[in-house]
Amino acid sequence: MSSTARPGHSTPGEEPAGSSAGSRPSRLAVGHAFQGVVVQMVLRLVLVVFLVLTCVLVPPLRDDFACYGIVAAYAIWLAALGWLIRPRGSWYGRRVWPAAFVDLAALSALALVTGIDSGSASWTSDVLLRGFFLVPVIAALEQRWRICLVVCVPAVATYLAIAFITRAANEEPTASVWLRGVVLAGLSAGCVLLARVQASRVAAISELATARDELLSQLTLIERRERADLAESLHDGALQYVLAARLDLEDLEGLAAAEPAAETREPLARIDQALSQTVMLLRSTVAELHPRVLETSGLARAVTELVRTSAARGRFHAEVDLDGWDEQTRTSADALLFNAARELLANVVKHARATQVRVALGLSDAVATLAVTDNGVGIPPGRVDAQLAAGHIGVASQRVRLAAAGGGLELHDGNGNGNGNGNGNGTIARAWVPATPLTAIPSGAESQPEATTP
């Protein structure tokens, strides 16, 4: 088993479930806003196609080059906007509602160019006016009703103004203009209300996410304290009694040394071996309940020790890959990933019947990853749901905690590593979570009992 230990260094301690890389409610808000922007861009693309088809299928009687120029400029602007707001673009996460006024300007310019002084009746301007009905829908996707109102009012006013200016070219009665204006105003009112409903739903989801994160944070804190108390109890109670029993046994062996009878020495040797194994198991249990090494040497060393003790219990060969993990880095995800590794390795020991296990840590683009691969029996269909129904919530709990921190946990069948005793293709478990590098122990970090024994 290859591993790399980190030098002693300040460590992060246990982080709340939702503290990694920004709060979950803020990520939810940004995610919903970006989804709305994506749909806006799709509708704008539809608008570009509509303008092109109108100029081609219902061409204006004059100034056709000016129309094509306006459409081309609008398409170029739309492409530039899409490039800026793409993921990792310079405008990603920003509100782009002012772009609706560019949509209005493009529609207005085309309608005026094709509808004023056309010389005779032209349907181009009349068709182009239908494009105004897309603007309120685009504004509604901002998910803020006040912004939608700011866009919709000028859109209705501009539509009415241009419709009356180009009424002669379109040969449209005044009543028809007013009626279509009423329909556009009704659509705009509906979009404003829809934006308000969307905003309230996003707010409700954010509140639920906040409450969930708080509950998970409290659960994590309670679990940490319970593990620390149990580790301290084992360290100061059962382990000390076992060590005292070993000392008494050594004294007894000294008294029985003069006895030549093998029937006396052999039972004593077996008792000594049993006590030695008990001490080793208690020490490894205490270390897993409260991994002091996680605080003193970091996640890489803690996972290495965890893999070593798990391999001894499960009787499999294990390998730790730390090539993707900077030895000097401490992150906000250390505690979450260690807990996930502990649960996944416990499942390997109990259920996998594996002979080969590989554990890999990685950190890239502010995302920490943990992968546990074994060559055991794999996961039968429905096994995870059955375990959950039976009350085994370990994996489900880790999945929820990682998801609350913006990460996730995947379990699926993989290719077996070697020729083990498993009858399946093994299991690949992959956990990931946003990670913020830390260089000091957070204020308020609690001191914990030592995980080693005298």
Side-chain angles (χ1 to χ4, degrees):
M1 178 174 64
S2 62
S3 62
T4 305
R6 300 180 182 183
H9 183 169
S10 56
T11 54
E14 188 84 25
E15 286 292 310
S19 62
S20 299
S23 65
R24 183 171 174 82
S26 64
R27 293 195 303 271
L28 283 171
V30 171
H32 279 83
F34 181 70
Q35 290 175 4
V37 170
V38 170
V39 179
Q40 286 181 0
M41 297 304 294
V42 171
L43 291 178
R44 289 191 172 101
L45 182 60
V46 172
L47 186 59
V48 169
V49 174
F50 167 75
L51 296 179
V52 172
L53 291 177
T54 301
C55 293
V56 172
L57 300 178
V58 191
L61 297 178
R62 58 183 65 180
D63 297 327
D64 52 340
F65 288 106
C67 294
Y68 289 130
I70 294 172
V71 173
Y74 179 69
I76 293 172
W77 169 84
L78 184 61
L81 180 63
W83 177 259
L84 291 173
I85 65 175
R86 76 191 191 284
R88 299 185 182 179
S90 58
W91 284 11
Y92 175 73
R94 292 187 183 183
R95 299 284 187 173
V96 294
W97 64 268
F101 294 106
V102 179
D103 306 331
L104 282 176
L107 284 168
S108 301
L110 280 171
L112 289 173
V113 167
T114 58
I116 295 178
D117 194 23
S118 59
S120 61
S122 171
W123 288 99
T124 309
S125 178
D126 183 68
V127 174
L128 288 171
L129 286 173
R130 271 64 171 178
F132 279 85
F133 287 80
L134 275 178
V135 175
V137 180
I138 293 174
L141 293 167
E142 280 292 329
Q143 302 172 4
R144 293 187 293 178
W145 69 271
R146 291 183 178 86
I147 295 299
C148 184
L149 184 64
V150 168
V151 174
C152 288
V153 170
V156 174
T158 304
Y159 170 81
L160 289 173
I162 295 177
F164 278 112
I165 293 174
T166 60
R167 187 173 64 86
N170 298 331
E171 296 183 345
E172 183 178 10
T174 303
S176 176
V177 173
W178 283 113
L179 287 175
R180 285 202 291 181
V182 170
V183 173
L184 181 59
L187 176 63
S188 299
C191 289
V192 171
L193 295 176
L194 178 60
R196 187 166 185 173
V197 171
Q198 287 181 319
S200 64
R201 288 180 177 176
V202 172
I205 293 173
S206 297
E207 290 177 2
L208 290 174
T210 300
R212 180 190 185 188
D213 289 352
E214 290 177 355
L215 289 174
L216 285 172
S217 178
Q218 293 298 321
L219 176 62
T220 301
L221 179 60
I222 292 171
E223 183 183 53
R224 183 184 65 182
R225 289 176 177 174
E226 287 180 346
R227 288 182 179 275
D229 291 342
L230 183 56
E232 185 176 3
S233 177
L234 288 175
H235 177 274
D236 297 337
L239 187 55
Q240 300 304 320
Y241 281 113
V242 173
L243 290 172
R246 285 198 65 195
L247 293 176
D248 293 339
L249 181 62
E250 291 176 359
D251 293 339
L252 182 59
E253 288 176 340
L255 294 175
E259 296 291 336
E263 60 270 14
T264 302
R265 293 194 300 273
E266 290 179 2
L268 290 177
R270 289 197 297 269
I271 294 174
D272 181 70
Q273 182 180 7
L275 288 175
S276 298
Q277 292 294 325
T278 303
V279 169
M280 184 182 68
L281 290 174
L282 282 173
R283 283 176 172 169
S284 65
T285 301
V286 169
E288 288 187 26
L289 286 172
H290 174 64
R292 183 68 178 178
V293 67
L294 180 62
E295 297 183 356
T296 58
S297 299
L299 180 62
R301 181 69 179 274
V303 169
T304 300
E305 293 297 321
L306 177 64
V307 171
R308 181 182 62 80
T309 56
S310 298
R313 288 203 307 269
R315 298 179 181 179
F316 52 74
H317 174 74
E319 176 186 356
V320 181
D321 181 5
L322 305 177
D323 291 341
W325 192 271
D326 187 349
E327 298 179 4
Q328 303 301 322
T329 300
R330 305 293 186 270
T331 75
S332 58
D334 287 0
L336 279 172
L337 288 183
F338 180 82
N339 290 335
R342 177 168 51 199
E343 183 62 35
L344 294 173
L345 286 171
N347 284 341
V348 172
V349 172
K350 294 178 183 177
H351 309 297
R353 300 203 299 272
T355 59
Q356 300 274 349
V357 175
R358 182 175 182 272
V359 179
L361 286 173
L363 179 63
S364 177
D365 295 330
V367 175
T369 58
L370 165 73
V372 179
T373 306
D374 67 73
N375 69 335
V377 297
I379 305 176
R383 176 65 179 273
V384 175
D385 294 337
Q387 291 290 96
L388 183 60
H392 303 286
I393 61 173
V395 173
S397 174
Q398 295 302 323
R399 181 177 283 127
V400 168
R401 294 180 188 186
L402 290 167
L409 174 62
E410 291 180 348
L411 297 173
H412 54 84
D413 291 334
N415 295 321
N417 299 320
N419 298 318
N421 297 324
N423 297 320
N425 293 324
T427 302
I428 299 176
R430 181 177 178 271
W432 70 94
V433 64
T436 303
L438 301 175
T439 56
I441 298 176
S443 59
E446 299 178 7
S447 61
Q448 302 291 349
E450 294 289 339
T452 57
T453 59

